[in-house]
Structures are given as C-alpha cells and as structure tokens.
Amino acid sequence: MEEESDTRKINNSFLRDQNYATEADIISTVEFNPSGELLATGDKGGRVVVFQREQETKSEPQRRGEYNVYSTFQSHEPEFDYLKSLEIEEKINKIRWLPQQNAAYFLLSTNDKTVKLWKISERDRRPEGYNLKDEDGRIRDPSTITSLQVPVLQPTDLMVEATARRVFSNAHTYNINSISVNSDLQTYISTDDLRVNLWNLEITDQSFNIVDIKPGNMEDLTEVITAAEFHPQQCNTLAYSSSRGSVRLCDTRKQALCDTHCKFFEEPEDPSTRSFFSEIISSISDIKFSHSGRFLMTRDYLTVKVWDLNMETRPVQTYQVHDYLRGKLSSLYENDCIFDKFECVWNGSDSVIMTGSYNNFFRMFDRNTKKDVTLEASRENSKPRAILKPRKVCVGGKRRKDEVTVDSLDFSKKILHSTWHPHENIIAVAASNNLYIFQDKVT
Amino acid sequence: MAGADGDDSLYPIAVLIDELRNEDVQLRLNSIKKLSTIALALGVERTRTELLPFLTDTIYDEDEVLLALAEQLGNFTMLVGGPEYVHCLLPPLESLATVEETVVRDKAVESLRKISQEHSPVDLEVHFEPLVKRLASGDWFTSRTSACGLFSVCYPRVSSTVKAEIRQHFRTLCSDDTPMVRRAAASKLGEFAKVLELDYVKSDIISLFTALASDEQDSVRLLAVEACVSIATLLPQEDLETLVMPTLRQAAEDKSWRVRYMVADKFSELQKAVGPEITKNDLVPAFQNLLKDCEAEVRSAAAKKVKEFCENLPEDSRETIIMTHILPCVKELVSDTSQHVKSALASVIMGLSTILGKDNTVEHLLPLFLAQLKDECPEVRLNIISNLDCVNEVIGIRQLSQSLLPAIVELAEDAKWRVRLAIIEYMPLLAGQLGVEFFDEKLNTLCMAWLIDHVYAIREAATCNLMKLVEKFGAEWAQNTIVPKVLGMANDPNYLHRMTTLFCINALSEACGQDITTKHMLPVVLKMSNDQVANVRFNVAKSLQKIGPVLDSNALQTEVKPVLEKLATDTDMDVKYFAQEAIRVLALA
C-alpha cells in the first residue's frame, strides 16, 4: 500500500473539541458527491454539513484539496408519532447525492422515517431599489412618488442556501437503513428492516413497495433487511442484504413486485467455526456495488467480502478486518459492540477497499497486490500535512514497539462511516464527532 | 407623469413592483400574476429594458412563483411591443427553461412554443433558433431536456441549412449521456417526426427510434412505444413492415414488464396506426401474449383493452379471431390470481356481447359473466353489474337475473360501506333494466334497509336512490310502495331514523308531486315538530322550507306557518334559527 502509507492529514480545521462534544455532534453518515468537489456529513442532531473543496489558486497552490465548510443546515427535527406513541429521532441515517443537474446541488437525507430532497444553491446578487421606501428602509410619502422604479439586481456577498425541495414521508413502518438513487435519475429506493420502497424523485405522495419480507405472523420473522443499493449502471438491478449474511439481487424488469430474487449470494457456513455468535457476526452491515458494476462488496462483523455478480456460491475475495476479535466476541456481545454497523467503500478505480474498525483504526485492502494496512484517525497524528503511520495490533504474547495489544483497544472509539473521493485518493473518515480527511501525498 | 394625478395612479403599481420581492411568497405570487398591469404602467420600452432583465435573474424564487412567471411570459408579446420585439421574452424564458423543477421547465417550454409562432421567419432564425441550440448544447441536462420540446415548433419555418442543424441537434440529444435527456427526446420523437419531411422520417427518425427502443434504460424504451404510434401513422403501409414492426415486436416481448405494459396500454392506438392487415398477422398473437403475461400489471392493462381491440378488428374476420384467439385468453383471465386483472376485465367484458351477438353471448360469454358475478372480489362483481346495459340490449337481462340477485344482495350487505355505496349507485340502472315487478319483488326491501344503515353516507345515498327510483317508476308506485314505509319510520325510537324520514321527504316531495306531499307527507312532518330531539325539530324546519314550494298557498298559510312560528320560539338556538330562515325563504312573515 505504497500510496496509502503516504497519506497525509491535510485539514483539521473542523475538528470539534472532544471535551465539549455532545451526543448530537456524533457524525452518523459521510458522503462525497459524484464529482468529489463536495462532501456531506450528517449527525445525530439532524444537521447536515456540506464541505467544499478549495479551488487551486496561484498564490497558494498547496491549499488545493482542502475542504472547508460550505453550508450547514438542519435537515431533520425530532418528532413524535402520536399514533404509535413513538419518538422519531432526528439522526441522519444516510445521505446520497444526486448527479448535478444545474448550477445547484441536490442531496437526499434520511432519518428513521422521512427522506428529504435538499437543494443547495448559491446566490450572489440581490435586488435593490424600492418604490415605497428608500435604501435605509424608511417609508416614503406616497405623494412624493412621481415615477416607477424597477428593482435592479446588484452583486452582493455569496450566500449559500439550502432548501428542502421534497419531503417523502409516511411510507415506512420500520426504520430506514438505506437510500439509493437509480441510474435512471428518476427514481430512488428507501429501505427499512422489512421493506424496500421505490419513489419517483418528483412525486412525494406515493411510493411503490417492491420488496416486502414481512411474514404473515411476526413470530415467523427470521431475518431483516440491513441495506439495499441500486446497481450503478443497470437501472433494473438492485441488491439487498440480510441479517443472515446473504445478499439477494432483484430484477425490476421481471415483475412489479421483487419478492422473488433472481440471484442469491451466500457463503455456506463452515461448521468448524460455528458458535453462539455465528449468526450475529454474519449479519451484513453494508453493501456496495463497485463503480464498474461487476462486483458487490459486503461487510459483516469481522470481514469484508467481494462478490462477483456472476458467482453466487462464494465470494471472490474475503478480507479479515480484525480477526483478532474472534476470541473476544463474548465481551463484545456484553457491551453491545457486536451489533455495530460498519460501512465499507471502494476507491475510484475499484482496486482498493476501505472499512472501519475499533480504536479509531481503519483498514485498507489493495485487491491487486493483496497488501493491507491499518491506519489510525486520531487527534494526535492529525496535524496538517502529517503522514499517517501504519498501525499494528499484536496478537501473540510479545508486543513490539508501535504495536497495540488487543486488550488495550478502545472499543468506544470506532470508525463506522467513511467515504472515498470518486476519482482521487482522498478519503473522509468519521470518528465520533470528528471528521478526518486524508489525501494522497500532495505533489 | 408628474403631478398630483399621476401620484395616485402610480401608487398601486409601485406597491405591486415592490411586492415582486416581498418576503411573503403569496404577495410575490400575487404581483407576478399581475405582471401585465405592471408592464402596462411601465410601457413597452421600460418593460423591455428594465422589467425583463430583472425577471431573467429572479430564478431563485419558489416554484409556484416561477411557474406563474413562465405562464405570464407566454402572453406578453403585446406588452413588449408586439411581434417585432417578441424576442425580448426569450432570455427570461431561457433561464426558466433550465431550472430543476420539471413543472416550471415544462411551462417555460410551453410559453416558448407559444411565442415561437409570433416570431417572423427572420427572427426565428436570428433569435429563436440560436436559443434552441444553446439549450440543446447546455452543460446541464435540464436545459437539454427543455430543448427537446422546441425543435418541432421551429423546424417547419426555417431554411434548409438550419433544418439540417436542427436534425443534427436532435440526433445528438437522442444519444445523450443522461437518461433524462434521452427520455425527453424519446417523448418528443413522435411530435418531431410529424414536422419532418417523409424522407427524413425514413432515414433519420427510424434509426433514432430503433436506437431509443433498444436503450439500456427501460424508462427510455417505454417512451419509444408512444413514439411508435405517431411514426406508424406517418409512414405508408408498405414501409411499416420493414421500418416499424421489428421494433414493435421487440417491445411487445421486452424483458422489462414496464415496456410491455406500455405496449398493452397503447394497444388500441397501435392497432389503428398499423392497420388491419398487420393487426391480423402480428398484433393478435402479441395481444394474446400480453393477456397471458407473467406480470399482473401488464395483464390488467391488456384486459382493459379487450373490448376496444375486438371492436377495431377488421369486420370480415372479427368473429373468427375473437372466438379462436381472444376468447380462450379471456376465459383464463376470469379466474386470474390477481383481483386487479379480474376487475379490469370485468369492466369491459360485457362489451363483447354486442360484438359477438346473441348466440355466442349466451353460449360463451354468459358462463363468464356468471362466474364473475360470483367472484370473491366485490369490485369484480360491481364492474359486471355496472355494465349490465350492454348485455340487456343483446340477450335481455332475464338470463342473468337468477345469478344477479344473490350477487346484488351480497354486495348490498358487504361489510365495507364503500362497496355498499357503490351498489346503491347502480340501483336506478338495475331497476330500469329489471323492470318494476322484479324490483318490487326482490330489491325493494334492500333499498329500504339501506335507509337504516349505520353509516350516514349510505343513508344519504339511499334517500337519493329513492328519488331516482320514483323518477323512473312514477308517483303512484311511490305512494304504494315506498311512501308508507318511509313515513312509518317517523315513529322509530331512534332519532337518526326519524331524521331519515325527513331527508327522504326532502328528496321525494318534488318527484311525488303536490297531492301526495300535502296529503301524506306534510302531516307527518308537522307532527314531528313536537319531537323531543332538537336535531329532529330543526330538520323539520329545514324540510318545511324545502317542501314549501311544492305545497299550495292554503296549506302553507294554515298548516306550515303556525308550526314554523312555534318553532321560531323554540328554546334551542338552532331550531329557532332554521325556523326563522324557513319563514324568511317561504315569505310567510
């Protein structure tokens, strides 16, 4: 992982002080837009913060690549469902950008129940000149008006505005875990524990239920949907993962209802490693199609797997994320960590994958060279332009310098959410209330 | 403009102009809607040089404001100085045609199409056509989608070199990177084909059509089906087979159910466009397949077209085709697994009887009707009942009446009140078809039972139904059969039923006429003015107001007036109010 060991921390300007961090500041999702110029984060307080990449300037060429706050807005507010006597958190579960369609940017953000389409636009002119009042706002005497004045637009400071364009609500009984925009740019899906709904981006008052795994009797429930995504190019293909470790691929062309899958990806269980925790750790926390559309990546508790869409029987690659935890599963079960939902991402060329771990460590696997690296997102090594050092967790008895023992890992620090720039080697990693952005060495 | 008079008239306009940028959307909207007033006050010169430039840049506004603006600008030609200056409207409409909101864009395009007609041929080439080109080659797909709708309006009126450019632009958009633009192009393909010279239709349009119809996105392919209809209409019959049919056949068997659905949905149009010969050879098997499609949505859409398709078959072979090819499929649909398919079929199947004639109907269709009348889904039964008139014309309803009755009774007692409501609405129709005897014998009790339904909407519909029945069967029938029963309810212990009596009287008095109203109904109403429930009493007042015009003046003065006067002094406020209201309306004061 040559390129990655050169990764530099280039910006820490938006690290919040740990001491003052509140629950609401914890980042719950992070996502680059399709051009990589913008980066959005959502937090438990229902806020969305959009960062914009600085343009290269002659005076400060090294500043190219720094991401600075572009717009901040409150996407969701806490609500109360009076019918079910249920509190609805404002936490942003997912953000998905739409491809740019005009000078404005659009993103979808969702909490447990409601998806919203936001428009982020710039305004740099404002109208001036009133008939009935002067420039200071003083009302003029109507009898002094002898001619009409048409307002004129004058340049002003750049303002970035976020407006909610659509609110897609009342379609989910269970909590939404994913949203995914279709390549036809007309529709998207929202997925909860038991159902997948298909929406038209322009229509908020109806959605179509295309997958429903709710059994007639809830006592027969054996699995839930954990994530779903559309294929990046084939508008008719979508995949959803389950808590039992399988992925189903659906073809929307076949039928209006996709209850029957057309492909089923599952690895047969190895009976020798079977334990009380097998089922829990095989639950898939995230799925991602590769940019090429050929592969599908799944993340379960201990591994990341890459599947070839043409081979359903077993993954083409399996990477151990933190196999050293296998012996600690019972204590991870005790402290609920075993239910953590780690996400995974591809790099722009599908050659490297990245996913998170504990102790603010995150892992990268190069699919071609088979090399892997563990890196740490921490405030200590987050000085601008510092180079990230690979970290190692020691498994055996002897601890070498720079190594960390399994027992000293901090399980309260975890990297659940991360995103990779669509074309360049820039990654954004969320650790609790901090966002770290690392990039390939600036040349 | 100066001087005291000018100030007064300027003030309202000044308010309107200032409100163009008020913080309240409603006020902005209001100002935009009065844009013509502002423009008139400013005069054509200032409208062109000041107002339009301002409006061109106000695309930050709310959708509803932009929508109103886009619409206004379509009617602005005279306000900018007539056709000579109409091109001044292009910049604001151009910027509106690029916003992300589809309804606004569509409205801007609509207005652009409208004002394109007001351009002189020269202006069209100097101003309008460059705008279309700019939109067509814009960076964002919003502008390119808008361009798709503008080609067809300028094409017929420009020189042949410009025509060639327009064709080229359209071709480029048909293979655009984004599916949005390809969809827009596909949806305008038919319209564009119509203004093209036939040679270009054959050379250009057909290749674009074929490409769009095999696009990787099914949302694009399905729009090509629509274009297929217009293209097929334009081409001479002998070219259809080679140029259109391969694509149509492919669409009817497309992998994606949405495309097949579109074919089913447009089937009648396609049938007319391709003509009888191709219908016989190609469309009949295609239609059979759609009726047997694995996706219920497709079967529903096809089932809805059964009657229309059969009607439009060439006369010489119509009966054979229906009997040997269509009917077997229809028979299967009667027991389809999806209730939507069954109810779609039920809404048209009766229409086949007129096409097939008496003998075939009795032998082949009647068993299907009877099966559908027993269907588990109420909507299927309702759809059959609602179309009874078609069968009645061909074979008479007697054949059906034995099965009809249980079906009606079951619907009349359905647990869902909307189902009950639906069947009530068909009662007058049924009564007309079945005749008074059958009605009295079998259905009258049902109609009366609805009057005491526990859902108000049903009781209300039931009273309305009685009125229609009286209109059909006459006052004498009413007096003998329903009036006694209705009046009997006036003594019911339940006040809601007593009120129903009043509602029935309101509905029936006019249809029954003066005699029955005065002799039978009025005494009951008057007696109810002593009811202990205030709601009943004020409804008495309302009833009297309603039936007053039917009564003679003697009855009004001697019987109605004293009662109303008494009610006007009632302890209950509402009773008082309605009694006074009735006195006022009937002019009894």
Side-chain angles (χ1 to χ4, degrees), chain A residues 169-409:
Chain A
S169 53
N170 301 326
H172 285 277
T173 315
Y174 305 95
N175 292 347
I176 300 176
N177 53 44
S178 357
I179 43 178
S180 174
V181 181
N182 194 329
S183 60
D184 67 9
L185 306 186
Q186 191 176 35
T187 54
Y188 77 91
I189 47 169
S190 57
T191 308
D192 67 23
D193 297 341
L194 297 178
R195 299 190 178 106
V196 179
N197 290 337
L198 178 71
W199 300 84
N200 186 312
L201 281 162
E202 302 204 338
I203 299 168
T204 58
D205 60 358
Q206 58 177 358
S207 72
F208 296 95
N209 178 234
I210 54 172
V211 177
D212 187 351
I213 64 161
K214 189 178 177 198
N217 180 356
M218 278 299 265
E219 280 170 18
D220 301 333
L221 187 70
T222 53
E223 62 181 331
V224 295
I225 303 174
T226 53
E229 197 180 44
F230 266 122
H231 189 279
Q233 289 97 29
Q234 294 165 15
C235 63
N236 51 276
T237 308
L238 69 99
Y240 68 90
S241 61
S242 90
S243 56
R244 299 186 65 157
S246 56
V247 174
R248 290 172 175 83
L249 203 70
C250 298
D251 186 343
T252 57
R253 291 177 302 187
K254 273 194 180 163
Q255 280 188 299
L257 283 176
C258 302
D259 287 344
T260 50
H261 53 265
C262 62
K263 285 191 178 181
F264 183 72
F265 301 88
E266 191 178 51
E267 192 170 27
E269 197 185 11
D270 179 1
S272 65
T273 58
R274 174 146 191 92
S275 75
F276 171 73
F277 302 108
S278 300
E279 236 176 72
I280 303 176
I281 62 169
S282 68
S283 175
I284 292 175
S285 52
D286 195 18
I287 52 169
K288 289 274 163 62
F289 278 103
S290 64
H291 296 87
S292 66
R294 169 81 189 271
F295 299 102
L296 185 65
M297 165 164 59
T298 61
R299 169 75 208 255
D300 57 35
Y301 193 59
L302 295 178
T303 66
V304 194
K305 291 171 183 159
V306 176
W307 304 78
D308 185 327
L309 289 192
N310 301 319
M311 184 165 73
E312 295 164 66
T313 48
R314 60 194 155 81
V316 284
Q317 285 145 358
T318 301
Y319 300 100
Q320 299 298 335
V321 178
H322 37 215
D323 202 44
Y324 44 79
L325 296 180
R326 201 173 276 280
K328 294 193 58 103
L329 291 177
S330 59
S331 61
L332 290 164
Y333 180 75
E334 293 288 311
N335 63 13
D336 273 354
C337 280
I338 201 166
F339 300 106
D340 282 336
K341 299 189 105 195
F342 291 100
E343 294 174 2
C344 50
V345 286
W346 300 87
N347 74 339
S349 59
D350 298 336
S351 60
V352 182
I353 55 186
M354 167 173 69
T355 189
S357 176
Y358 291 104
N359 207 38
N360 278 355
F361 286 176
F362 57 96
R363 304 265 290 147
M364 287 188 180
F365 306 94
D366 188 312
R367 297 178 58 218
N368 300 325
T369 63
K370 304 292 173 206
K371 284 184 185 163
D372 65 273
V373 65
T374 304
L375 299 167
E376 183 182 6
S378 75
R379 298 171 61 79
E380 286 71 40
N381 60 18
S382 70
K383 293 182 191 74
R385 321 203 72 74
I387 293 175
L388 276 183
K389 271 187 252 132
R391 304 298 305 259
K392 252 203 158 84
V393 177
C394 69
V395 206
K398 257 203 277 174
R399 190 172 80 94
R400 267 171 288 173
K401 189 173 172 280
D402 283 352
E403 285 193 349
V404 190
T405 64
V406 176
D407 290 325
S408 64
L409 292 174

Side-chain angles (χ1 to χ4, degrees), chain A residues 99-104 106 119 121-133 135 142-153 161 163 165-166 182-187 201-202 233-236 251-257, chain B residues 1-3 6-7 10-11 13-15 17-18 20-21 38 41-42 46 50-51 53-54 57-61 63 98-103 105 140-143 178-180 183 216-219 221 254-258 260 294-295 297:
Chain A
Q100 204 172 353
Q101 47 186 326
N102 59 9
F106 289 82
K119 173 187 179 181
S121 55
E122 294 181 357
R123 178 190 291 223
D124 58 1
R125 279 187 288 181
R126 67 184 190 90
E128 272 177 17
Y130 281 101
N131 286 299
L132 302 181
K133 49 189 176 186
E135 284 316 309
S143 63
T144 63
I145 300 171
T146 52
S147 67
L148 292 172
Q149 191 181 1
V150 178
V152 182
L153 288 157
E161 302 178 321
T163 36
R165 301 288 307 190
R166 302 262 193 283
N182 194 329
S183 60
D184 67 9
L185 306 186
Q186 191 176 35
T187 54
L201 281 162
E202 302 204 338
Q233 289 97 29
Q234 294 165 15
C235 63
N236 51 276
D251 186 343
T252 57
R253 291 177 302 187
K254 273 194 180 163
Q255 280 188 299
L257 283 176
Chain B
M1 288 289 262
D7 297 346
L10 281 182
Y11 184 73
I13 307 291
V15 173
I17 293 178
D18 282 3
L20 278 175
R21 53 201 184 98
I38 298 176
L42 289 172
R46 292 190 69 195
E50 293 177 47
L51 186 61
F54 171 70
D57 289 325
T58 46
I59 51 162
Y60 301 113
D61 215 323
D63 302 333
T98 61
V99 301
E100 70 278 358
E101 191 57 50
T102 315
V103 283
R105 251 174 15 236
W140 308 117
F141 72 75
T142 44
S143 79
T178 64
M180 304 296 223
R183 276 199 293 274
E216 53 169 17
Q217 297 266 345
D218 51 5
S219 58
R221 293 204 299 279
D254 197 282
K255 264 189 167 180
S256 167
W257 69 269
R258 293 208 290 162
R260 300 197 304 272
C294 58
E295 171 57 44
E297 299 279 348

Side-chain angles (χ1 to χ4, degrees), chain B residues 405 408-409 427 430-431 434 438-448 450:
Chain B
L405 196 64
I408 295 172
V409 172
M427 271 298 150
L430 284 170
L434 293 164
F438 186 91
F439 185 87
D440 279 348
E441 198 181 320
K442 316 277 189 188
L443 299 179
N444 199 6
T445 25
L446 281 180
C447 290
M448 299 320 281
W450 282 319

Side-chain angles (χ1 to χ4, degrees), chain B residues 215-519:
Chain B
D215 195 279
E216 53 169 17
Q217 297 266 345
D218 51 5
S219 58
V220 178
R221 293 204 299 279
L222 61 88
L223 289 169
V225 176
E226 261 186 296
C228 187
V229 177
S230 1
I231 293 173
T233 343
L234 295 172
L235 292 173
Q237 190 70 30
E238 64 268 22
D239 288 330
L240 285 178
E241 182 54 46
T242 48
L243 297 180
V244 176
M245 286 316 289
T247 311
L248 180 56
R249 270 183 221 120
Q250 179 194 321
E253 287 167 7
D254 197 282
K255 264 189 167 180
S256 167
W257 69 269
R258 293 208 290 162
V259 178
R260 300 197 304 272
Y261 172 89
M262 203 63 173
V263 175
D265 196 46
K266 299 274 167 231
F267 217 82
S268 308
E269 288 94 327
L270 288 167
Q271 185 187 6
K272 280 180 202 144
V274 299
E277 274 314 303
I278 294 180
T279 299
K280 259 193 271 182
N281 303 332
D282 269 285
L283 293 194
V284 171
F287 194 61
Q288 281 175 290
N289 287 337
L290 292 171
L291 288 173
K292 289 188 229 155
D293 199 279
C294 58
E295 171 57 44
E297 299 279 348
V298 179
R299 291 200 303 278
S300 299
K304 268 187 213 146
K305 302 286 168 186
V306 164
K307 182 193 157 202
E308 231 177 310
F309 180 72
C310 293
E311 253 174 6
N312 295 329
L313 284 169
E315 212 155 323
D316 52 341
S317 49
R318 185 189 291 157
E319 191 170 323
T320 345
I321 293 177
I322 298 177
M323 297 307 291
T324 53
H325 299 293
I326 307 297
L327 205 57
C329 303
V330 169
K331 277 182 186 159
E332 276 174 45
L333 290 185
V334 168
S335 49
D336 198 276
T337 46
S338 157
Q339 64 172 56
H340 300 290
V341 176
K342 286 188 291 186
S343 77
L345 181 69
S347 64
V348 296
I349 189 173
M350 309 291 267
L352 289 181
S353 48
T354 32
I355 306 172
L356 286 177
K358 185 169 179 181
D359 293 341
N360 280 327
T361 303
V362 173
E363 196 185 333
H364 299 284
L365 292 178
L366 200 56
L368 302 182
F369 300 159
L370 296 179
Q372 294 213 296
L373 273 176
K374 293 194 190 84
D375 198 278
E376 58 190 7
C377 164
E379 207 178 321
V380 175
R381 284 173 269 153
L382 272 175
N383 282 346
I384 289 290
I385 290 173
S386 64
N387 288 302
L388 276 178
D389 43 344
C390 322
V391 191
N392 201 11
E393 285 162 22
V394 183
I395 58 168
I397 212 159
R398 288 286 156 188
Q399 300 260 21
L400 270 176
S401 55
Q402 284 318 307
S403 321
L404 208 48
L405 196 64
I408 295 172
V409 172
E410 211 175 306
L411 288 168
E413 289 162 357
D414 196 283
K416 296 194 186 73
W417 67 267
R418 285 177 199 283
V419 174
R420 300 202 295 274
L421 186 65
I423 187 75
I424 292 177
E425 276 159 12
Y426 294 123
M427 271 298 150
L429 172 82
L430 284 170
Q433 306 280 330
L434 293 164
V436 66
E437 272 168 55
F438 186 91
F439 185 87
D440 279 348
E441 198 181 320
K442 316 277 189 188
L443 299 179
N444 199 6
T445 25
L446 281 180
C447 290
M448 299 320 281
W450 282 319
L451 288 174
I452 50 168
D453 197 283
H454 58 270
V455 176
Y456 176 75
I458 299 294
R459 298 198 298 272
E460 191 189 26
T463 49
C464 184
N465 171 45
L466 286 185
M467 182 182 77
K468 288 184 189 148
L469 290 174
V470 174
E471 280 168 4
K472 212 157 227 141
F473 294 151
E476 197 184 336
W477 173 83
Q479 193 183 347
N480 294 329
T481 51
I482 58 171
V483 171
K485 288 185 194 168
V486 167
L487 297 181
M489 283 165 58
N491 301 317
D492 199 288
N494 186 334
Y495 86 97
L496 290 172
H497 298 171
R498 297 202 294 278
M499 295 222 296
T500 306
T501 299
L502 291 171
F503 297 145
C504 286
I505 289 173
N506 294 348
L508 293 177
S509 63
E510 203 170 328
C512 286
Q514 195 184 58
D515 193 41
I516 297 177
T517 308
T518 321
K519 272 199 194 133

